Amino acid sequence: MDLDKPPAPQPPEGCLVVALRLPVRIVVLVLVVPVRLAWDALVAAGRFLHATVLRPLGRALRRAGRALFVRPFVALWRWVLVPAGTALRWLGHMLVAAPLGWLHARLLTPLGHALRWAGRGVVTHLLAPVGRGLARLARGVGALLAAVGFGVFTGAAWLVRYLLVVPARWLYVHVLSPVGRALLWVAEALVTGAGAVLYWTARVLLVLPALALWRWVLSPVGRALLWVAEALVTGAGAVLYWTARVLLVLPAVALWRWVLAPVGRVLAVVAREVVDALGHAWRVAGHFSRVVGRALGTLFRWIFVEPARWVYRTVLTPVGHVIRDGVLRPAARAAREVGRVTRLTLAAARETLRETRRDLRRALFGEPRQQAAEDLREPPARDPRTLGSSTTVLTKD
């Protein structure tokens, strides 16, 4: 099974596209090639400048900044600020924290315990009994006032009930309610009769003549006027429609169909061909720029790199080997010999100095006492067992 899809068929191109493509591509190629060459030259110069100038300059600035700013600040922090802070902390501890701790532990804490004990005794033996007595007195006075208030409230409620509430309820139930029901019935009857009279009067004098006038006069006249207005509006609309169609729509359609659409298609073809020509010219200019760059690189290699390489291989390398074998290696060997002799001389001088110091100490203070060396790693061994001796009770001599 072939997984590659065949390319979609391209629509046939017109004669205008074929006629425009080659001139447009030639003009665009002539205009784009210098721009692409200048662009590639700027890119190459920027890369060379970045590799040879900007990157080493940045590294040098970074090292200079580290040497001028970072290391002095680190040294200042490590050798000045940290020791000064340690000294200040020690002074603060010795001058402030330690005296305050001693004052708190030796003076303030015992004084606080004494004040707490004294306050607890005063509260327990003096204020607590006084407070309990006052609380009991307040409870008794409150109970007496509550009893007096309850009696006064009960008497006032009884008087209000039997002097106001009971007579008012009897008057409402036996006098006002019957009178109100009678008045309500009379008013209801009067309103119902007056409403019936007014209804039938208005129906006979107003509603029936108005219905007859609407049905036999106004409705036919309104339908006739509506039909006339509809005919007028329809005719005016048709006239305005055809007028607008003839004067505006048909010329606009003709202008779009025969002028704007062909001009737009031509401009679209020209724009597409210009864009395609720009892309093609940019790619061709890139290949041309690559060829020119390779030619310039080859020329630079032949003029500068190869002669420098030949000089390095045929002149500098043999001279360097001669200098290394004839000068540098013997000098390094002699330096190593001088260093070895110097180290041996210094070692002999140090050993002589130690012997002299040891002899001087022995002459002034005498021989040091020698202590018996004891092997503390293992316990002392017993005598070996023989045939004539035994360690058991039965065979012991």
Side-chain angles (χ1 to χ4, degrees):
M1 181 179 179
D2 190 7
L3 297 179
D4 295 334
K5 294 182 180 180
Q10 298 292 333
E13 297 178 349
C15 58
L16 179 62
V17 177
V18 177
L20 286 176
R21 179 172 297 169
L22 187 59
V24 169
R25 288 193 176 184
I26 293 173
V27 173
V28 171
L29 181 62
V30 172
L31 295 176
V32 169
V33 167
V35 177
R36 183 60 187 266
L37 290 175
W39 174 258
D40 291 339
L42 289 176
V43 171
R47 290 177 181 174
F48 177 77
L49 184 65
H50 178 267
T52 58
V53 177
L54 296 180
R55 185 180 296 176
L57 181 61
R59 291 176 181 174
L61 291 176
R62 183 181 62 184
R63 293 177 181 176
R66 183 179 298 175
L68 294 177
F69 296 101
V70 177
R71 291 180 180 176
F73 282 116
V74 169
L76 179 64
W77 170 262
R78 182 176 297 172
W79 304 108
V80 177
L81 297 180
V82 172
T86 305
L88 291 176
R89 183 182 63 182
W90 182 81
L91 288 175
H93 177 75
M94 296 302 296
L95 297 177
V96 179
L100 290 178
W102 180 87
L103 181 64
H104 178 269
R106 303 296 181 181
L107 181 61
L108 297 179
T109 301
L111 182 60
H113 290 317
L115 292 176
R116 185 182 63 181
W117 178 81
R120 186 180 297 174
V122 170
V123 171
T124 304
H125 297 89
L126 181 60
L127 297 180
V130 174
R132 293 191 192 98
L134 292 176
R136 291 175 183 175
L137 180 61
R139 281 198 295 271
V141 173
L144 180 61
L145 293 176
V148 172
F150 181 74
V152 172
F153 178 75
T154 304
W158 185 82
L159 291 175
V160 170
R161 178 181 177 81
Y162 286 99
L163 291 178
L164 295 177
V165 177
V166 174
R169 183 181 294 175
W170 182 86
L171 180 63
Y172 176 77
V173 172
H174 295 88
V175 178
L176 297 178
S177 292
V179 173
R181 292 192 190 96
L183 293 175
L184 182 63
W185 182 79
V186 172
E188 205 173 288
L190 292 175
V191 169
T192 303
V197 171
L198 292 174
Y199 170 75
W200 286 106
T201 302
R203 183 177 177 85
V204 172
L205 297 177
L206 297 176
V207 176
L208 293 178
L211 288 175
L213 180 64
W214 171 260
R215 181 175 297 176
W216 302 107
V217 179
L218 297 178
S219 180
V221 173
R223 283 196 292 270
L225 293 176
L226 182 64
W227 180 81
V228 171
E230 186 175 352
L232 291 176
V233 170
T234 303
V239 170
L240 292 175
Y241 168 74
W242 284 105
T243 302
R245 181 178 177 86
V246 171
L247 295 179
L248 298 176
V249 177
L250 294 179
V253 170
L255 178 65
W256 171 261
R257 183 176 297 174
W258 303 106
V259 178
L260 297 180
V263 172
R265 294 192 189 97
V266 172
L267 292 178
V269 170
V270 172
R272 186 176 69 246
E273 290 300 323
V274 169
V275 172
D276 294 340
L278 283 174
H280 182 72
W282 188 261
R283 290 190 294 271
V284 172
H287 292 294
F288 184 72
S289 175
R290 185 181 300 172
V291 171
V292 172
R294 288 179 179 176
L296 292 177
T298 304
L299 185 62
F300 179 78
R301 188 176 69 250
W302 289 348
I303 294 176
F304 296 101
V305 178
E306 292 297 335
R309 184 181 297 175
W310 180 83
V311 170
Y312 177 77
R313 287 180 178 178
T314 58
V315 178
L316 297 180
T317 301
V319 172
H321 290 172
V322 171
I323 293 174
R324 182 190 61 187
D325 296 335
V327 178
L328 297 180
R329 285 183 178 176
R333 192 178 302 112
R336 285 196 295 271
E337 291 294 332
V338 170
R340 187 174 62 82
V341 171
T342 304
R343 286 194 299 273
L344 293 176
T345 304
L346 292 176
R350 283 195 296 271
E351 186 63 28
T352 304
L353 183 60
R354 290 195 192 96
E355 292 292 336
T356 304
R357 189 169 57 247
R358 190 180 301 116
D359 293 339
L360 183 61
R361 187 182 301 113
R362 188 181 298 113
L364 293 176
F365 301 104
E367 290 290 340
R369 290 181 297 176
Q370 298 292 334
Q371 296 181 356
E374 296 181 359
D375 191 3
L376 300 178
R377 293 177 297 175
E378 295 182 359
R382 296 181 180 179
D383 294 335
R385 183 182 298 177
T386 60
L387 295 177
S389 63
S390 176
T391 57
T392 60
V393 177
L394 296 177
T395 60
K396 190 175 182 181
D397 292 338

